[in-house]
Amino acid sequence: MNAPFPSTASGNDPRPPLQLLIAAPRGFCAGVDRAIEIVERALQKYGAPVYVRHEIVHNRYVVDSLKAKGAIFVEELDEVPNDAPVVFSAHGVPKSVPAEAERRKLLYVDATCPLVSKVHRQAERQIEKGQHILFIGHEGHPEVIGTMGQVPDGQITLVETVEDVATLPFTQEDDLSFLTQTTLSVDDTREIVEALQAKYPQIVAPKAEDICYATSNRQAAVKEIASGCDLVLVIGAPNSSNSLRLVEVAQRMGTDARLIQRASEIEPKWLEGVGTLGLTAGASAPEKLVREVVDRLSDWRVVTEEVITTTEEKMVFKLPRQLTE
Ligand code: 0CH
Ligand code: SF4
């Protein structure tokens, strides 16, 4: 419940001041915008229910909003009836998933981010060239399952850490290349790539960085504000890789940082001794949740907001033709 105080500082206002540094860019990226629009357009075009395989993006608010419009979220295709349309999430799927959808003659729309699809195509090309792929990513993440599932078993090996590099069984005579998940820590990945290149000088790098523009821009933005803050709050889900990386980036700057899904999770005691608070949001977190946090903070403090912009983003991805025709 909102405290009965005016929203601006006044002589009688008992709330202490809080300087709020809001990182930009933050929140939705072009791939998330596109994925959510795909579900909304599929609902308009085909009517409810539209099935979605896996959370379209890793955010409960987004998922619940789409559920309210008639989307049904499932983890596997065998939960989708034969006569219903199904959307694949932004994180991408192994080749076996569209293959199964085609076998069952399901109507499917692929909301895989084009930047994830680009990594999928690179994986195919590297295999065609006879290279074994070392894939840098986090085990069990849907994007990792999707990308590793682009190539035959045994031709791609997951590398999670610098320590993993030491245990790889390959030699300097092997044809090797590497690729990465799109939402990794820029700094950690650099260290892993350096370890790979030191052990395997012949290893072929991807043509362009696989970590996407949105991931690196959000990390650079939180880095810019973190050192000047007493606490950083990152809005995102615990299963959101890119959001978790933002917390780590802030912590590595020596600043206390916490992941929150909603404003209601903020405990007043977190703000004790905090004069400057940093705020950002993962690529799957709506701006509405940022405003909700600002409102919540204003219950306890007289908040002065400052947006710190490190770069402007203009990326927009086209929708699949089946939804625009
Ligand atoms: O960061 P991850 O990949 O866990 O996913 P998200 O939180 O749903 O953000 C959108 C990225 C989707 C694919 O790159
Ligand atoms: Fe695409 Fe990057 Fe957004 Fe993932 S985080 S959906 S790869 S733009």
Side-chain angles (χ1 to χ4, degrees):
M1 206 179 77
N2 279 1
F5 298 124
S7 60
T8 51
S10 84
N12 298 325
D13 196 328
R15 296 170 302 165
L18 181 72
Q19 174 73 15
L20 185 60
L21 301 184
I22 306 181
R26 67 178 172 281
F28 279 9
C29 59
V32 166
D33 270 332
R34 174 178 181 270
I36 295 170
E37 194 170 350
I38 285 174
V39 179
E40 284 171 343
R41 287 202 181 215
L43 282 162
Q44 283 161 16
K45 180 162 178 174
Y46 308 120
V50 165
Y51 283 71
V52 183
R53 186 191 176 279
H54 192 70
E55 291 185 333
I56 186 72
V57 298
H58 292 146
N59 188 274
R60 197 188 302 161
Y61 181 90
V62 170
V63 166
D64 287 346
S65 310
L66 292 171
K67 270 186 193 166
K69 294 178 184 173
I72 296 177
F73 289 83
V74 296
E75 278 309 308
E76 291 302 339
L77 277 194
D78 58 16
E79 298 164 71
V80 180
N82 282 337
D83 55 356
V86 57
V87 176
F88 304 152
S89 81
H91 315 93
V93 288
K95 271 192 188 299
S96 56
V97 171
E100 169 68 5
E102 271 156 38
R103 196 189 60 75
R104 285 181 53 198
K105 299 192 170 48
L106 291 179
L107 172 59
Y108 70 88
V109 189
D110 189 356
T112 303
C113 175
L115 298 181
V116 173
S117 301
K118 191 190 82 180
V119 181
H120 290 182
R121 289 195 301 273
Q122 288 190 90
E124 285 181 312
R125 276 200 301 272
Q126 290 173 340
I127 294 300
E128 278 163 19
K129 288 181 186 159
Q131 296 161 354
H132 184 97
I133 301 171
L134 301 179
F135 185 64
I136 307 172
H138 296 291
E139 187 165 22
H141 188 281
E143 182 183 329
V144 172
I145 294 168
T147 302
M148 293 186 76
Q150 299 304 307
V151 306
D153 278 351
Q155 298 191 19
I156 187 163
T157 302
L158 183 64
V159 177
E160 290 191 90
T161 61
V162 169
E163 291 69 44
D164 284 354
V165 176
T167 65
L168 290 171
F170 306 99
T171 72
Q172 295 198 350
E173 274 65 57
D174 290 319
D175 261 341
L176 297 173
S177 55
F178 74 87
L179 292 172
T180 86
Q181 197 177 336
T182 57
T183 53
L184 298 181
S185 151
V186 172
D187 295 334
D188 286 353
T189 306
R190 187 182 309 115
E191 284 178 23
I192 298 172
V193 168
E194 282 169 7
L196 283 175
Q197 288 170 332
K199 186 166 177 182
Y200 304 117
Q202 80 282 20
I203 197 165
V204 175
K207 271 206 198 103
E209 176 75 79
D210 292 332
I211 297 177
C212 76
Y213 79 97
T215 297
S216 39
N217 287 348
R218 279 152 193 67
Q219 288 177 22
V222 77
K223 224 179 214 181
E224 181 72 20
I225 60 168
S227 57
C229 295
D230 304 306
L231 172 68
V232 171
L233 295 179
V234 177
I235 304 171
N239 60 342
S240 167
S241 169
N242 79 88
S243 307
L244 291 170
R245 305 293 82 82
L246 295 176
V247 176
E248 289 170 2
V249 168
Q251 288 171 339
R252 283 187 196 161
M253 298 298 287
T255 304
D256 190 12
R258 289 173 181 273
L259 184 74
I260 54 166
Q261 302 201 63
R262 295 293 292 259
S264 55
E265 292 171 24
I266 303 172
E267 292 179 26
K269 67 168 187 270
W270 296 354
L271 301 183
E272 282 169 18
V274 172
T276 304
L277 187 136
L279 183 58
T280 186
S284 44
E287 184 63 14
K288 191 172 190 309
L289 302 187
V290 175
R291 295 320 306 172
E292 186 187 81
V293 166
V294 178
D295 289 347
R296 182 79 179 134
L297 294 168
S298 304
D299 288 345
W300 302 306
R301 298 290 195 89
V302 177
V303 174
T304 309
E305 290 180 48
E306 190 181 345
V307 176
I308 309 288
T309 305
T310 45
T311 189
E312 303 281 348
E313 290 180 344
K314 298 197 172 68
M315 192 76 86
V316 179
F317 296 132
K318 276 197 205 128
L319 292 166
R321 215 177 298 152
Q322 70 203 106
L323 293 177
T324 54
E325 282 169 347

